[in-house]
């Protein structure tokens, strides 16, 4: 019985790799519902900065978050490589706009090293070096649950 537990702990999991602001990120592939090019989605705009409205995908209306704005101060340039990752999170289904999806990799838990100095950032799982590149592994449920805090809204401790 202990060998099956050990084997399960060292089994590789599938991660979807995407580019954002010149860096490679990876998220658990089990959280991915589908991949779509940005142009293929019917969009309704909003006045939000990061939440760029809602999209309709296969008859389902969902919010869409433009991670290119969230991760960098550059205007979104839509090109044929701009992708939307439709995520099935624990709380909802939503779309996430990224610079592009590159591939799927299999990673074992022992390959993921903690990121130095990122102890207070709970959505950063760790860093992986594989096939000559660095991947930042994120917990997409925690990342997408972050709320923007308005200036002055925090209470003094």
């Amino acid at each position: 019985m202990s060998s099956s537990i050990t084997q399960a702990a060292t089994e590789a999991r599938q991660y979807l790799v995407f580019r954002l602001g010149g860096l490679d990120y990876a998220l658990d592939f089990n959280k991915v519902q589908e991949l779509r090019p940005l142009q293929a989605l019917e969009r309704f705009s909003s006045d939000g900065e990061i939440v760029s409205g809602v999209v309709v995908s296969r008859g389902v209306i969902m919010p869409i978050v433009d991670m290119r704005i969230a991760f960098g101060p550059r205007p979104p340039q839509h090109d044929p490589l701009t992708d939307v990752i439709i995520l099935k999170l624990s709380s909802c289904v939503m779309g996430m706009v990224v610079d592009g999806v590159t591939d799927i990799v299999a990673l074992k838990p022992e390959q993921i090293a903690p990121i130095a100095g990122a102890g207070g950032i709970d959505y950063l799982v760790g860093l992986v070096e594989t096939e000559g590149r660095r991947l930042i592994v994120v917990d997409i449920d925690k990342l997408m649950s972050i709320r923007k805090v308005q200036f002055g809204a925090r209470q003094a401790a």
Side-chain angles (χ1 to χ4, degrees):
M1 183 151 153
S2 66
S3 67
S4 65
I5 293 171
T6 306
Q7 182 181 7
T10 61
E11 276 186 23
R13 295 184 68 165
Q14 301 273 313
Y15 289 83
L16 181 77
V17 180
F18 61 94
R19 294 199 52 81
L20 194 57
L23 298 173
D24 289 324
Y25 294 86
L27 63 90
D28 185 348
F29 189 73
N30 289 327
K31 298 290 183 177
V32 177
Q33 181 171 311
E34 67 179 297
L35 302 173
R36 302 287 297 267
L38 184 61
Q39 292 86 357
L41 293 170
E42 183 179 351
R43 290 181 291 161
F44 302 93
S45 65
S46 77
D47 294 332
E49 184 176 307
I50 295 172
V51 177
S52 58
V54 296
V55 296
V56 178
S57 177
R58 299 179 189 214
V60 176
I61 298 172
M62 68 190 80
I64 184 167
V65 175
D66 195 334
M67 296 303 286
R68 299 166 307 156
I69 296 170
F71 275 59
R74 60 188 175 92
Q77 303 267 327
H78 302 317
D79 63 36
L81 299 177
T82 303
D83 289 316
V84 177
I85 304 169
I86 307 296
L87 302 165
K88 49 183 176 184
L89 304 175
S90 57
S91 60
C92 67
V93 174
M94 66 186 306
M96 177 175 81
V97 181
V98 297
D99 290 333
V101 171
T102 60
D103 59 340
I104 297 172
V105 296
L107 301 174
K108 293 183 178 183
E110 60 267 17
Q111 289 179 273
I112 304 172
I115 299 174
I121 306 173
D122 66 346
Y123 63 84
L124 292 176
V125 175
L127 189 65
V128 174
E129 292 202 31
T130 181
E131 300 174 7
R133 62 184 175 160
R134 282 192 177 153
L135 305 177
I136 301 167
V137 182
V138 296
D139 180 326
I140 200 64
D141 266 310
K142 289 180 181 175
L143 178 61
M144 290 305 186
S145 68
I146 293 174
R147 303 262 190 270
K148 187 174 182 181
V149 177
Q150 295 291 331
F151 181 73
R154 293 185 182 178
Q155 294 180 349

